[in-house]
Every structure is written in structure tokens, then in C-alpha cells.
Amino acid sequence: MGAYHNILAKLNGFIRKHYTQKLIKGTLLSITLGVLFLLAVMGVEYLLWLNSTGRLILLLAFLGTALFLLYTYILTPIFYLLKIKRGISAKDAASMIGKHFPNVGDKLLNLLDLADNTKKTELLLASIEQRSQGLRPVPFTKAIDHKQALRYSKYVLIPVVLIVLVYVSGNFNSFFRSYERVVNYNLAYEPPAPFAFELLSPDLNVIESEPFTFQVATKGTVRPENVHVVIDGKEILLQEENGIHQYTLSPPINSAVFNFKANEVTSKSYLLQALKAPAIVDFNIKLTYPSYLKKKAEILKSTGNATVPEGTNVTWDIVGQDTERINLITKDTALAFQKDDNMFTLSKHVYSNLSYQLTTSNTNAEDYERLDYNFEVIKDGYPTVKVVQVLDSLEPNVSYYSGEAADDYGLTKINLVYFEKGDERNKKMIVISRPNTGFSQFYYTFPSGLDLDASKSYEFYFLVTDNDGIRNGKTTK
């Protein structure tokens, strides 16, 4: 009976290949039909924007269809393959094989009928074995060609072509988003407006002390005549020019949520973020004059302009608000103020005219405020001296001199400098006067106090020195 058992094994192989073919065919059909039905569901929702009930019906119809296709074309052949469900019998398989192989005909079916005979005589068993040997060379599985099942793959191209057409139309995203509305059938959706708002204002982070202009345009098949901005519960009409609607908010600006509205269409909400600007709230300058001027220090309030003597030490004391840095900028330098909480301090000696700029900065704005100021510096002038000579007619070697010396801030000494004619390098000096005022009259009788050689000729001049503490005194002769 070995040949007969071989026939039965070949029949089982034919049955497995038969249901494998059905599984391949069913998978291709279920994918094709399922995708087509899904496209139909999304197409209906895309065009009609159904309410919750309509979308629920579409969802249930799709799920029912998908389950039907899954069970009919995929699970059922798997159940047959796994023998969970009873499929065709060996005789059914024999009939199918007999139709494919004419030389087999009814021989295989007759063999199975003989094997079903309950009276197993030796003659019957010998006949079964002989017939089995005759059918052994026949390849039963050749009666099934998987290529026939794969022919159904061409139908998969139908939904692929439809998807490509949707993509080419430019509505790919909006078409397939309708699937989300079907799945979330219990959520409320509004059909798209005939136009959309496009915010043109580049930055919604604005300094609170500066004006801000809303700029918006509309895109779509319809162009609204009036567009309003809704901010803080107020509707403000925007002015239209060349298709751009705009409105300018005057400072101070406050942070607020706003949106645009036109023809009952409302845009999404935007946040206008008002940023703190660095500011100067109090401003004092302390002027400390050079000590030799003997002037008390002065304090100037709320101004950065002044006329000061040369060498004055200027100290800026500034109170800032929302300020992190203050710089003093001149033509070629930038000096940073020292910061202590909200107080900013900087000291600088001023020797010449100074034009400068104060700038304030924080994380929101760099060099936001630019305040221009100027210091006019009064230079310490040179002292002046005027001398009148009176000759004594009786004593030709005696002369009388009367002089006046003056300086803007004070004199320190009046000297007479003398030297042998032509040899100024070996000059000598005597002090005539040590005034401590800005004006002094002095008198001198030549040659009193001088160490002279009567055989030599001399030259001399009067030298006046002022109290310039910066240069250790300036002189005029």
C-alpha cells in the first residue's frame, strides 16, 4: 500500500496548493477592493463634509467592508490551509486533477472508490497498489498554476492610478485628510473657508514703546471687502491698499491675543508679545573740577551737556529700567558703565571737546536708546604779562620796571631770568613775586639782586607762571 499512500500525499499537496492560490488571489482582490472603497469613503467626505452621523455611517460601512473582504478572501483560505475549516475532499481534488490531465481521467477517482471498499481482500489490495503505481508518475500539483492568481495583481493598478490623479490635482493633502474626519466622526469640523488669511507682519515680538503695524492678506477664490483685527475684545477695521490690509497700534503696546475676521471667517489666534525696552529714568552728572581751580563740585540733573574747565572729572550716575547695559560711545571708543542693581556709574576726565552718545541695551534690544550729548571744554589759557621800562637819566646802569601779570585761574610766581649775552643755557633766575591771585602788579629795579660782572653784557626777561595743575604751570615771558 506504499504507492497508494504516496497518491494520498500528492492529493494533499494539490489541496494545499489550491488554497494557497486562493489566498494569493484573495489578498490581491481584498487590497484592491479595500483601497477602492477607502478612496470612495474619503471622496464622499471630501466633497460633502458630512455631519457626525454621516461620517459614522461611512466609518461603519468601511469597517464592515474591510472585515468582509478580510474574512472572505484571506482568513477563509488560511482556515482551509490550517484545516481549521473543512475544505474540498480527496475525491473533489481527484475530479479537478482528472479534468486537467486527460490521461488520468476517472482513474484516480476509481482508485479512491476502491480504497473506500470496506472488504479488503488480497485481490482488492493488489488492484489498488497496481493502479497506484500507474498514477504515481503524474504530478498532481501541476494542475494548479500560481501565475493565474498573480494575474489579479493588475487590478491593484486601479487604486494606484486614482491616487496619482489625486496627487496631480494638487488636492492630495486635503483629500486624504478627510480620512481623519471620518475616523474622528464625533468631532465637529467646519468646511474650509473660500479664502484664508496670510499674516505678513514678520515678527510678533515687539518693543512696548514702539508702534506695531498689523499686515494681512487673503488668499482664495473670494476676496473680502473688509477685514477686521480682533484684539482685547475690540474689532478694528484694517485699511486696504493693493490687496494688503493693515492697521498701526500706537505705543505703549501690551501683550495680547488677536485674530482676523472677515465675512464670518475667522483666522487662527496669534500672540502679540510686548517686550520691555531698556530706558533711563534718572540721570545726574557730577562735575569734579581740578583742585587748583578751587571750585566746588557741581551736580547737573537730567542733562548730559555741559561747559567745563579742562581736566574736569565727570561722573555719570544713571538709573535704568529694564536695562542690562549702558555704554558711552565716542568717535573711537566705547566705555561700559558699572552696574549695581538699577544704578549705572562711569567716571571720565575730560580734556577736550567731547561729543558722546549714551546707549541702553537688554536681551530684547541692543543699543535701543541713543542719546546724543556734548561737552564743551574751556582750555586753561596762558598767563599774560606787560612790562614798562623807565630809565634813570642820572644812573645809566639803573632801570626801573613796572609790570602787570594776569591769568584766567591764578598766578603762582613772577621771575626775572638773566644770562650772559649769547649764553642762555647758563641762565639764572630770581623770584620777584609769588602772587596767589589772577592779577598782579610788580616792580623791579635793575640790577638789584643780580650777580653780575661789570665787564660783561647781559640779557634778561620776566617769566610769569600760572597755576595750571595739569601741566605743572604754564609760562609766558
mmCIF file of all heavy atoms in Angstrom, residues 397-413:
data_model
loop_
_atom_site.group_PDB
_atom_site.id
_atom_site.type_symbol
_atom_site.label_atom_id
_atom_site.label_comp_id
_atom_site.label_asym_id
_atom_site.label_seq_id
_atom_site.Cartn_x
_atom_site.Cartn_y
_atom_site.Cartn_z
ATOM 1 N N ASN A 397 73.118 152.831 34.267
ATOM 2 C CA ASN A 397 73.078 151.387 34.510
ATOM 3 C C ASN A 397 71.924 150.959 35.407
ATOM 4 O O ASN A 397 71.835 149.815 35.826
ATOM 5 C CB ASN A 397 74.395 150.923 35.127
ATOM 6 C CG ASN A 397 75.525 150.952 34.116
ATOM 7 O OD1 ASN A 397 75.302 150.718 32.924
ATOM 8 N ND2 ASN A 397 76.728 151.277 34.583
ATOM 9 N N VAL A 398 71.082 151.918 35.736
ATOM 10 C CA VAL A 398 69.908 151.595 36.588
ATOM 11 C C VAL A 398 68.646 151.834 35.770
ATOM 12 O O VAL A 398 68.504 152.886 35.138
ATOM 13 C CB VAL A 398 69.909 152.434 37.878
ATOM 14 C CG1 VAL A 398 68.651 152.135 38.677
ATOM 15 C CG2 VAL A 398 71.159 152.149 38.698
ATOM 16 N N SER A 399 67.755 150.825 35.793
ATOM 17 C CA SER A 399 66.466 150.938 35.087
ATOM 18 C C SER A 399 65.358 150.531 36.046
ATOM 19 O O SER A 399 65.539 149.680 36.938
ATOM 20 C CB SER A 399 66.427 150.046 33.853
ATOM 21 O OG SER A 399 67.454 150.400 32.947
ATOM 22 N N TYR A 400 64.198 151.115 35.806
ATOM 23 C CA TYR A 400 63.024 150.789 36.634
ATOM 24 C C TYR A 400 61.971 150.115 35.741
ATOM 25 O O TYR A 400 61.698 150.578 34.626
ATOM 26 C CB TYR A 400 62.465 152.055 37.280
ATOM 27 C CG TYR A 400 63.459 152.781 38.144
ATOM 28 C CD1 TYR A 400 64.220 153.828 37.625
ATOM 29 C CD2 TYR A 400 63.648 152.409 39.471
ATOM 30 C CE1 TYR A 400 65.144 154.496 38.410
ATOM 31 C CE2 TYR A 400 64.579 153.080 40.260
ATOM 32 C CZ TYR A 400 65.317 154.113 39.729
ATOM 33 O OH TYR A 400 66.252 154.762 40.502
ATOM 34 N N TYR A 401 61.361 149.053 36.291
ATOM 35 C CA TYR A 401 60.368 148.294 35.505
ATOM 36 C C TYR A 401 59.077 148.182 36.294
ATOM 37 O O TYR A 401 59.086 147.851 37.500
ATOM 38 C CB TYR A 401 60.881 146.892 35.169
ATOM 39 C CG TYR A 401 62.089 146.923 34.254
ATOM 40 C CD1 TYR A 401 63.380 146.977 34.796
ATOM 41 C CD2 TYR A 401 61.923 146.917 32.871
ATOM 42 C CE1 TYR A 401 64.485 147.014 33.974
ATOM 43 C CE2 TYR A 401 63.039 146.956 32.038
ATOM 44 C CZ TYR A 401 64.307 146.995 32.596
ATOM 45 O OH TYR A 401 65.401 147.037 31.765
ATOM 46 N N SER A 402 57.981 148.453 35.587
ATOM 47 C CA SER A 402 56.642 148.309 36.189
ATOM 48 C C SER A 402 55.851 147.333 35.309
ATOM 49 O O SER A 402 55.760 147.526 34.093
ATOM 50 C CB SER A 402 55.932 149.668 36.244
ATOM 51 O OG SER A 402 54.594 149.512 36.640
ATOM 52 N N GLY A 403 55.338 146.318 35.920
ATOM 53 C CA GLY A 403 54.652 145.295 35.115
ATOM 54 C C GLY A 403 53.298 144.882 35.654
ATOM 55 O O GLY A 403 52.994 145.075 36.833
ATOM 56 N N GLU A 404 52.508 144.272 34.774
ATOM 57 C CA GLU A 404 51.209 143.699 35.132
ATOM 58 C C GLU A 404 51.124 142.268 34.576
ATOM 59 O O GLU A 404 51.413 142.053 33.396
ATOM 60 C CB GLU A 404 50.056 144.538 34.560
ATOM 61 C CG GLU A 404 49.922 145.908 35.166
ATOM 62 C CD GLU A 404 48.752 146.670 34.583
ATOM 63 O OE1 GLU A 404 48.143 146.153 33.596
ATOM 64 O OE2 GLU A 404 48.416 147.748 35.081
ATOM 65 N N ALA A 405 50.776 141.320 35.416
ATOM 66 C CA ALA A 405 50.615 139.912 35.001
ATOM 67 C C ALA A 405 49.191 139.469 35.338
ATOM 68 O O ALA A 405 48.618 139.896 36.351
ATOM 69 C CB ALA A 405 51.632 139.029 35.694
ATOM 70 N N ALA A 406 48.644 138.636 34.482
ATOM 71 C CA ALA A 406 47.272 138.155 34.698
ATOM 72 C C ALA A 406 47.117 136.727 34.174
ATOM 73 O O ALA A 406 47.848 136.298 33.267
ATOM 74 C CB ALA A 406 46.278 139.091 34.000
ATOM 75 N N ASP A 407 46.146 135.986 34.748
ATOM 76 C CA ASP A 407 45.823 134.620 34.282
ATOM 77 C C ASP A 407 44.360 134.336 34.600
ATOM 78 O O ASP A 407 43.795 134.888 35.561
ATOM 79 C CB ASP A 407 46.719 133.577 34.960
ATOM 80 C CG ASP A 407 46.489 132.189 34.421
ATOM 81 O OD1 ASP A 407 46.849 131.933 33.244
ATOM 82 O OD2 ASP A 407 45.920 131.342 35.156
ATOM 83 N N ASP A 408 43.744 133.446 33.801
ATOM 84 C CA ASP A 408 42.322 133.185 33.992
ATOM 85 C C ASP A 408 42.020 132.493 35.313
ATOM 86 O O ASP A 408 40.935 132.667 35.886
ATOM 87 C CB ASP A 408 41.764 132.371 32.811
ATOM 88 C CG ASP A 408 42.638 131.182 32.450
ATOM 89 O OD1 ASP A 408 43.651 130.952 33.149
ATOM 90 O OD2 ASP A 408 42.308 130.490 31.463
ATOM 91 N N TYR A 409 42.970 131.684 35.818
ATOM 92 C CA TYR A 409 42.684 130.970 37.054
ATOM 93 C C TYR A 409 43.633 131.305 38.195
ATOM 94 O O TYR A 409 43.373 130.954 39.339
ATOM 95 C CB TYR A 409 42.724 129.458 36.805
ATOM 96 C CG TYR A 409 41.592 128.988 35.921
ATOM 97 C CD1 TYR A 409 41.855 128.394 34.699
ATOM 98 C CD2 TYR A 409 40.275 129.146 36.311
ATOM 99 C CE1 TYR A 409 40.838 127.960 33.885
ATOM 100 C CE2 TYR A 409 39.249 128.735 35.506
ATOM 101 C CZ TYR A 409 39.523 128.140 34.285
ATOM 102 O OH TYR A 409 38.498 127.726 33.478
ATOM 103 N N GLY A 410 44.752 131.972 37.910
ATOM 104 C CA GLY A 410 45.642 132.353 39.006
ATOM 105 C C GLY A 410 47.105 132.258 38.624
ATOM 106 O O GLY A 410 47.510 131.486 37.762
ATOM 107 N N LEU A 411 47.912 133.118 39.297
ATOM 108 C CA LEU A 411 49.353 133.155 39.092
ATOM 109 C C LEU A 411 50.054 132.515 40.278
ATOM 110 O O LEU A 411 49.552 132.529 41.418
ATOM 111 C CB LEU A 411 49.821 134.603 38.951
ATOM 112 C CG LEU A 411 49.202 135.400 37.792
ATOM 113 C CD1 LEU A 411 49.502 136.880 37.975
ATOM 114 C CD2 LEU A 411 49.728 134.891 36.458
ATOM 115 N N THR A 412 51.234 131.956 40.020
ATOM 116 C CA THR A 412 51.997 131.355 41.116
ATOM 117 C C THR A 412 53.297 132.111 41.395
ATOM 118 O O THR A 412 53.697 132.261 42.551
ATOM 119 C CB THR A 412 52.321 129.882 40.809
ATOM 120 O OG1 THR A 412 53.043 129.818 39.578
ATOM 121 C CG2 THR A 412 51.057 129.050 40.738
ATOM 122 N N LYS A 413 53.944 132.579 40.305
ATOM 123 C CA LYS A 413 55.193 133.316 40.560
ATOM 124 C C LYS A 413 55.568 134.156 39.338
ATOM 125 O O LYS A 413 55.162 133.863 38.212
ATOM 126 C CB LYS A 413 56.336 132.369 40.916
ATOM 127 C CG LYS A 413 56.636 131.316 39.872
ATOM 128 C CD LYS A 413 57.684 130.341 40.383
ATOM 129 C CE LYS A 413 57.904 129.202 39.373
ATOM 130 N NZ LYS A 413 58.936 128.257 39.833
#
